[in-house]
Amino acid sequence: FAGWQDDASPAEIDRINQLPQIRDEAMADAKTGQGQGDPRAIATVMEPQARTIPAEALTGNWRCRQMKLGLMSPYIVYDAWFTCSIRSDGAGLLLEKTGGTQLFAGRLYPEQGAWIYLGASRVRGEPRHRYSGPPPMLGAIVTPDDQIGLLTGIGDNHLRLEIPAVQESLLDVVEFRR
């Protein structure tokens, strides 16, 4: 496993370093008013203490659903569960959301018992986007769809991916269950 800092842009490193403050602000926003979906799901996902999870416990198929906390709406909890997977591709672990209209894919890097996610989002029908990485060379494409996140265990066969958002919300959260 290569170090994620070598593959991340300075802006993404800054965003993940600010995750505790972003999480606090997003949770405060989520409590300020009426959002969409079941607000009890937020506590189910956000309140458990993060747990270490080994690579072998990550691999396989998962059900996943998304939440958006703060900014445009206090919260949006999507009820629908979609297909996600985590697999080894020889170069490391690849996380991918393959169901629904909002899709994403990227690499997982071990980080002190948790996992850093570097990837990119897209909508169904678009080609898969790649994470653009450190400052690009002249002519390279930089995409606003770049993502960085923190994946942690929150229970048996239960994961939380926190993505400091750049559009629509302060924090995108993906819940994974088997």
Side-chain angles (χ1 to χ4, degrees):
F1 292 106
W4 65 270
Q5 297 91 337
D6 295 335
D7 294 338
S9 72
E12 300 291 352
I13 292 170
D14 187 50
R15 281 197 9 235
I16 201 71
N17 286 337
Q18 292 181 35
L19 180 59
Q21 295 88 351
I22 292 168
R23 180 189 304 118
D24 289 347
E25 187 177 342
M27 290 298 291
D29 275 8
K31 294 174 184 173
T32 63
Q34 185 63 36
Q36 298 173 24
D38 185 355
R40 294 173 296 181
I42 298 168
T44 300
V45 174
M46 297 304 293
E47 287 180 4
Q49 187 76 6
R51 299 180 185 179
T52 298
I53 184 160
E56 55 275 2
L58 290 174
T59 57
N61 294 320
W62 295 84
R63 294 180 313 130
C64 60
R65 71 171 168 177
Q66 292 183 268
M67 302 174 194
K68 294 184 175 289
L69 305 179
L71 203 59
M72 289 178 44
S73 172
Y75 62 87
I76 300 171
V77 176
Y78 295 95
D79 293 329
W81 289 84
F82 295 102
T83 305
C84 287
S85 67
I86 300 174
R87 62 183 162 76
S88 176
D89 67 354
L93 292 178
L94 179 67
L95 181 152
E96 188 170 18
K97 180 179 182 276
T98 57
T101 56
Q102 296 180 356
L103 308 174
F104 57 83
R107 294 240 166 257
L108 293 174
Y109 300 79
E111 178 69 17
Q112 299 177 347
W115 296 84
I116 296 291
Y117 160 75
L118 290 176
S121 65
R122 66 182 176 96
V123 295
R124 182 162 299 288
E126 289 182 344
R128 187 183 209 189
H129 298 180
R130 300 187 114 191
Y131 179 73
S132 57
M137 302 294 282
L138 185 62
I141 296 173
V142 175
T143 170
D145 300 321
D146 281 350
Q147 298 175 312
I148 190 167
L150 180 67
L151 180 70
T152 56
I154 55 172
D156 292 339
N157 293 309
H158 198 190
L159 308 173
R160 171 179 63 217
L161 174 62
E162 299 173 87
I163 302 170
V166 294
Q167 304 175 56
E168 301 179 348
S169 66
L170 291 172
L171 185 66
D172 290 350
V173 179
V174 184
E175 177 183 15
F176 294 80
R177 285 191 182 263
R178 284 200 240 230

